[in-house]
Amino acid sequence: MKRIRISLTIFLGIMLMISGCYPGGPEYLSDYDLIATEYSEEYWNANSPSTYYMPDSLGWIVDREDLDNNEDLTREYDAFILGEVAENMALQGYQRIADLDVENPPDVYVFTQALAVKNTTVSWIPGYPWYGGYYPGWGGYYPGYPGYGGYYPGWGGVPVTSSYTTGTILIEMGDAKNLDEENKIINIVWTAGVDGILGSSKASNEQFVSQSIEQAFNQSPYLKN
Amino acid sequence: MKTLRYIFTLAILAFSLQFLSAQGRFAFTYNTALPLGETAELAGKYSFRGAGIEGRWAVGSSFDIGFNASWNVFYESVSGSFTEGNSTLTGTQYRYVNAYPVMFTAYKSFGSSESFQPYIGLGVGAIKADHRKEMGLWYVDANNWHFGVAPEIGAVIPTWGSFDFLISIRYNYGAKVKDSPSVSYLGLNLGVLL
């Protein structure tokens, strides 16, 4: 019995010592920041777009089947986010088209959206169309996206496997010159996801948004004109 | 929680065996380890977090057979941009490898049990390994059993008390399986043999 008591004491002692120093993970909000980009190699090898159209409002992706699964997020950053995207597009050498003419479209469409869905993991599976009814269980909801004639952003063979949560900003670039007329789909040729946890300070949140969007463009050198 | 379950299981196993056989000797060790190969590629820092138990039964004057079960966790955080194919991720990656070898073992001792007694040993069994990368609010995880081998050298150092000290260097290798890379690390284990 004495040996067993000694064994137990030693064993528990070692375990307590080790459990107290298990490796840590993120400590600060900024440790959760994530900027993900993905592109269609085929498109960028063959094309050099220089003009784009972007709606004046931020799109929101919501769960239309379960409205309780949506967050009522603040819209106070909408204009700021769109401004940052426009600024970075200009820095990359793109000219923004103010009025959309479907007969004479720009080279690409730029969609900027935010996820309003809470507690949800979105997995983008290679080759999986994911908007406008092609997004199982979600549906796409684009308030304030005029002039698309029923088109939805679709899948352009950009394989992304990632996860996003409430507040994630998605920037997508769609090929405006080669629309899938039959299925009403715009092929996405570049996508960026900016993911992080917002703090309570507007200034620091805007700094996060600004730096993250800039990083998304910086880590995508093929966009440069 | 998962770690606590393993610890609890190991404790039950150890003490059950101790009750079953008064002839066996049991060791409790503090395990540190140097990651190698694909384990080092994922989490390259030296691990000071580990523990193990061993059981040994004499089957001859200088031969023992037994088992060992242990745990080491490897960890490293890396910040920057990570590109794979057409995708790039920027942020801080937190990488963990939790390795749980469970081996049947055989030992050959040299010298007298009354003095410093070196030994060589070989373990054959399995390594349960959890490879995990965390980034932002998401993670990728591969948790599999690997076929494992663990050659070892060590020594038993007698004391005046009712236990001996044990020191060993053990190379743990788990073969690549499914979506999990191979597991490879060199462990330095210090403990007491009862």
Side-chain angles (χ1 to χ4, degrees), chain A residues 156-175:
Chain A
V158 181
V160 179
T161 304
S162 192
S163 304
Y164 295 102
T165 188
T166 302
T168 295
I169 300 165
L170 294 175
I171 308 164
E172 292 178 305
M173 198 178 280
D175 181 359

PDB file of all heavy atoms in Angstrom, chain A residues 156-175:
ATOM      1  N   GLY A 156     -16.548  30.353 -59.522  1.00  0.00           N
ATOM      2  CA  GLY A 156     -15.694  30.378 -60.696  1.00  0.00           C
ATOM      3  C   GLY A 156     -14.524  29.435 -60.586  1.00  0.00           C
ATOM      4  O   GLY A 156     -13.475  29.668 -61.158  1.00  0.00           O
ATOM      5  N   GLY A 157     -14.684  28.407 -59.853  1.00  0.00           N
ATOM      6  CA  GLY A 157     -13.601  27.430 -59.729  1.00  0.00           C
ATOM      7  C   GLY A 157     -12.515  27.885 -58.786  1.00  0.00           C
ATOM      8  O   GLY A 157     -11.385  27.419 -58.848  1.00  0.00           O
ATOM      9  N   VAL A 158     -12.840  28.813 -57.922  1.00  0.00           N
ATOM     10  CA  VAL A 158     -11.855  29.241 -56.931  1.00  0.00           C
ATOM     11  C   VAL A 158     -12.027  28.376 -55.692  1.00  0.00           C
ATOM     12  O   VAL A 158     -13.011  28.489 -54.986  1.00  0.00           O
ATOM     13  CB  VAL A 158     -12.056  30.721 -56.551  1.00  0.00           C
ATOM     14  CG1 VAL A 158     -11.020  31.152 -55.533  1.00  0.00           C
ATOM     15  CG2 VAL A 158     -11.966  31.585 -57.792  1.00  0.00           C
ATOM     16  N   PRO A 159     -11.123  27.454 -55.472  1.00  0.00           N
ATOM     17  CA  PRO A 159     -11.325  26.556 -54.330  1.00  0.00           C
ATOM     18  C   PRO A 159     -10.918  27.215 -53.012  1.00  0.00           C
ATOM     19  O   PRO A 159      -9.789  27.607 -52.829  1.00  0.00           O
ATOM     20  CB  PRO A 159     -10.413  25.377 -54.650  1.00  0.00           C
ATOM     21  CG  PRO A 159      -9.336  25.958 -55.493  1.00  0.00           C
ATOM     22  CD  PRO A 159      -9.904  27.156 -56.200  1.00  0.00           C
ATOM     23  N   VAL A 160     -11.869  27.366 -52.158  1.00  0.00           N
ATOM     24  CA  VAL A 160     -11.605  27.957 -50.844  1.00  0.00           C
ATOM     25  C   VAL A 160     -12.148  27.018 -49.773  1.00  0.00           C
ATOM     26  O   VAL A 160     -13.264  26.545 -49.889  1.00  0.00           O
ATOM     27  CB  VAL A 160     -12.303  29.321 -50.691  1.00  0.00           C
ATOM     28  CG1 VAL A 160     -12.032  29.910 -49.310  1.00  0.00           C
ATOM     29  CG2 VAL A 160     -11.844  30.276 -51.761  1.00  0.00           C
ATOM     30  N   THR A 161     -11.354  26.735 -48.819  1.00  0.00           N
ATOM     31  CA  THR A 161     -11.865  26.020 -47.662  1.00  0.00           C
ATOM     32  C   THR A 161     -11.510  26.855 -46.457  1.00  0.00           C
ATOM     33  O   THR A 161     -10.353  26.966 -46.088  1.00  0.00           O
ATOM     34  CB  THR A 161     -11.237  24.625 -47.538  1.00  0.00           C
ATOM     35  OG1 THR A 161     -11.486  23.936 -48.748  1.00  0.00           O
ATOM     36  CG2 THR A 161     -11.883  23.860 -46.396  1.00  0.00           C
ATOM     37  N   SER A 162     -12.488  27.470 -45.915  1.00  0.00           N
ATOM     38  CA  SER A 162     -12.226  28.357 -44.801  1.00  0.00           C
ATOM     39  C   SER A 162     -13.497  28.498 -43.989  1.00  0.00           C
ATOM     40  O   SER A 162     -14.530  27.964 -44.338  1.00  0.00           O
ATOM     41  CB  SER A 162     -11.755  29.711 -45.326  1.00  0.00           C
ATOM     42  OG  SER A 162     -11.250  30.482 -44.261  1.00  0.00           O
ATOM     43  N   SER A 163     -13.405  29.236 -42.926  1.00  0.00           N
ATOM     44  CA  SER A 163     -14.568  29.406 -42.075  1.00  0.00           C
ATOM     45  C   SER A 163     -14.674  30.850 -41.653  1.00  0.00           C
ATOM     46  O   SER A 163     -13.678  31.497 -41.380  1.00  0.00           O
ATOM     47  CB  SER A 163     -14.437  28.532 -40.827  1.00  0.00           C
ATOM     48  OG  SER A 163     -14.253  27.208 -41.192  1.00  0.00           O
ATOM     49  N   TYR A 164     -15.868  31.325 -41.605  1.00  0.00           N
ATOM     50  CA  TYR A 164     -16.081  32.705 -41.221  1.00  0.00           C
ATOM     51  C   TYR A 164     -17.193  32.800 -40.211  1.00  0.00           C
ATOM     52  O   TYR A 164     -18.006  31.913 -40.072  1.00  0.00           O
ATOM     53  CB  TYR A 164     -16.400  33.554 -42.454  1.00  0.00           C
ATOM     54  CG  TYR A 164     -15.247  33.616 -43.397  1.00  0.00           C
ATOM     55  CD1 TYR A 164     -15.225  32.845 -44.546  1.00  0.00           C
ATOM     56  CD2 TYR A 164     -14.154  34.408 -43.102  1.00  0.00           C
ATOM     57  CE1 TYR A 164     -14.145  32.881 -45.398  1.00  0.00           C
ATOM     58  CE2 TYR A 164     -13.066  34.452 -43.949  1.00  0.00           C
ATOM     59  CZ  TYR A 164     -13.067  33.691 -45.091  1.00  0.00           C
ATOM     60  OH  TYR A 164     -12.005  33.724 -45.931  1.00  0.00           O
ATOM     61  N   THR A 165     -17.240  33.902 -39.557  1.00  0.00           N
ATOM     62  CA  THR A 165     -18.276  34.076 -38.550  1.00  0.00           C
ATOM     63  C   THR A 165     -18.842  35.477 -38.643  1.00  0.00           C
ATOM     64  O   THR A 165     -18.467  36.262 -39.512  1.00  0.00           O
ATOM     65  CB  THR A 165     -17.707  33.795 -37.151  1.00  0.00           C
ATOM     66  OG1 THR A 165     -18.776  33.796 -36.213  1.00  0.00           O
ATOM     67  CG2 THR A 165     -16.688  34.842 -36.756  1.00  0.00           C
ATOM     68  N   THR A 166     -19.750  35.773 -37.774  1.00  0.00           N
ATOM     69  CA  THR A 166     -20.421  37.068 -37.795  1.00  0.00           C
ATOM     70  C   THR A 166     -19.436  38.221 -37.917  1.00  0.00           C
ATOM     71  O   THR A 166     -18.464  38.280 -37.183  1.00  0.00           O
ATOM     72  CB  THR A 166     -21.221  37.249 -36.502  1.00  0.00           C
ATOM     73  OG1 THR A 166     -22.143  36.178 -36.423  1.00  0.00           O
ATOM     74  CG2 THR A 166     -21.973  38.555 -36.513  1.00  0.00           C
ATOM     75  N   GLY A 167     -19.708  39.111 -38.845  1.00  0.00           N
ATOM     76  CA  GLY A 167     -18.860  40.277 -38.979  1.00  0.00           C
ATOM     77  C   GLY A 167     -17.768  40.127 -40.009  1.00  0.00           C
ATOM     78  O   GLY A 167     -17.108  41.088 -40.351  1.00  0.00           O
ATOM     79  N   THR A 168     -17.583  38.930 -40.515  1.00  0.00           N
ATOM     80  CA  THR A 168     -16.568  38.737 -41.543  1.00  0.00           C
ATOM     81  C   THR A 168     -16.899  39.573 -42.775  1.00  0.00           C
ATOM     82  O   THR A 168     -18.047  39.632 -43.206  1.00  0.00           O
ATOM     83  CB  THR A 168     -16.506  37.249 -41.945  1.00  0.00           C
ATOM     84  OG1 THR A 168     -16.056  36.513 -40.830  1.00  0.00           O
ATOM     85  CG2 THR A 168     -15.575  37.040 -43.120  1.00  0.00           C
ATOM     86  N   ILE A 169     -15.880  40.212 -43.318  1.00  0.00           N
ATOM     87  CA  ILE A 169     -16.063  40.988 -44.545  1.00  0.00           C
ATOM     88  C   ILE A 169     -15.572  40.150 -45.711  1.00  0.00           C
ATOM     89  O   ILE A 169     -14.467  39.597 -45.657  1.00  0.00           O
ATOM     90  CB  ILE A 169     -15.253  42.304 -44.492  1.00  0.00           C
ATOM     91  CG1 ILE A 169     -15.710  43.153 -43.307  1.00  0.00           C
ATOM     92  CG2 ILE A 169     -15.378  43.077 -45.799  1.00  0.00           C
ATOM     93  CD1 ILE A 169     -14.735  44.270 -42.958  1.00  0.00           C
ATOM     94  N   LEU A 170     -16.403  40.039 -46.714  1.00  0.00           N
ATOM     95  CA  LEU A 170     -16.012  39.307 -47.920  1.00  0.00           C
ATOM     96  C   LEU A 170     -15.931  40.291 -49.081  1.00  0.00           C
ATOM     97  O   LEU A 170     -16.849  41.083 -49.280  1.00  0.00           O
ATOM     98  CB  LEU A 170     -17.047  38.240 -48.259  1.00  0.00           C
ATOM     99  CG  LEU A 170     -17.218  37.085 -47.289  1.00  0.00           C
ATOM    100  CD1 LEU A 170     -18.370  36.202 -47.741  1.00  0.00           C
ATOM    101  CD2 LEU A 170     -15.942  36.260 -47.211  1.00  0.00           C
ATOM    102  N   ILE A 171     -14.831  40.229 -49.796  1.00  0.00           N
ATOM    103  CA  ILE A 171     -14.685  41.042 -51.008  1.00  0.00           C
ATOM    104  C   ILE A 171     -14.506  40.067 -52.157  1.00  0.00           C
ATOM    105  O   ILE A 171     -13.607  39.216 -52.098  1.00  0.00           O
ATOM    106  CB  ILE A 171     -13.454  41.970 -50.929  1.00  0.00           C
ATOM    107  CG1 ILE A 171     -13.485  42.787 -49.638  1.00  0.00           C
ATOM    108  CG2 ILE A 171     -13.401  42.896 -52.138  1.00  0.00           C
ATOM    109  CD1 ILE A 171     -12.152  43.425 -49.291  1.00  0.00           C
ATOM    110  N   GLU A 172     -15.353  40.168 -53.119  1.00  0.00           N
ATOM    111  CA  GLU A 172     -15.260  39.238 -54.242  1.00  0.00           C
ATOM    112  C   GLU A 172     -15.226  40.003 -55.554  1.00  0.00           C
ATOM    113  O   GLU A 172     -15.874  41.039 -55.706  1.00  0.00           O
ATOM    114  CB  GLU A 172     -16.452  38.285 -54.235  1.00  0.00           C
ATOM    115  CG  GLU A 172     -16.408  37.327 -53.066  1.00  0.00           C
ATOM    116  CD  GLU A 172     -17.610  36.430 -53.032  1.00  0.00           C
ATOM    117  OE1 GLU A 172     -18.725  36.955 -53.033  1.00  0.00           O
ATOM    118  OE2 GLU A 172     -17.429  35.212 -53.013  1.00  0.00           O
ATOM    119  N   MET A 173     -14.458  39.452 -56.479  1.00  0.00           N
ATOM    120  CA  MET A 173     -14.330  40.052 -57.787  1.00  0.00           C
ATOM    121  C   MET A 173     -14.895  39.051 -58.798  1.00  0.00           C
ATOM    122  O   MET A 173     -14.476  37.894 -58.821  1.00  0.00           O
ATOM    123  CB  MET A 173     -12.847  40.336 -58.073  1.00  0.00           C
ATOM    124  CG  MET A 173     -12.609  41.327 -59.169  1.00  0.00           C
ATOM    125  SD  MET A 173     -10.827  41.625 -59.363  1.00  0.00           S
ATOM    126  CE  MET A 173     -10.519  42.769 -58.030  1.00  0.00           C
ATOM    127  N   GLY A 174     -15.863  39.505 -59.569  1.00  0.00           N
ATOM    128  CA  GLY A 174     -16.492  38.613 -60.541  1.00  0.00           C
ATOM    129  C   GLY A 174     -16.169  39.025 -61.961  1.00  0.00           C
ATOM    130  O   GLY A 174     -16.033  40.225 -62.266  1.00  0.00           O
ATOM    131  N   ASP A 175     -16.034  38.053 -62.837  1.00  0.00           N
ATOM    132  CA  ASP A 175     -15.721  38.292 -64.241  1.00  0.00           C
ATOM    133  C   ASP A 175     -16.976  38.822 -64.944  1.00  0.00           C
ATOM    134  O   ASP A 175     -17.932  38.082 -65.178  1.00  0.00           O
ATOM    135  CB  ASP A 175     -15.256  36.970 -64.876  1.00  0.00           C
ATOM    136  CG  ASP A 175     -14.889  37.142 -66.336  1.00  0.00           C
ATOM    137  OD1 ASP A 175     -15.005  38.271 -66.858  1.00  0.00           O
ATOM    138  OD2 ASP A 175     -14.488  36.137 -66.956  1.00  0.00           O
TER     139      ASP A 175
END
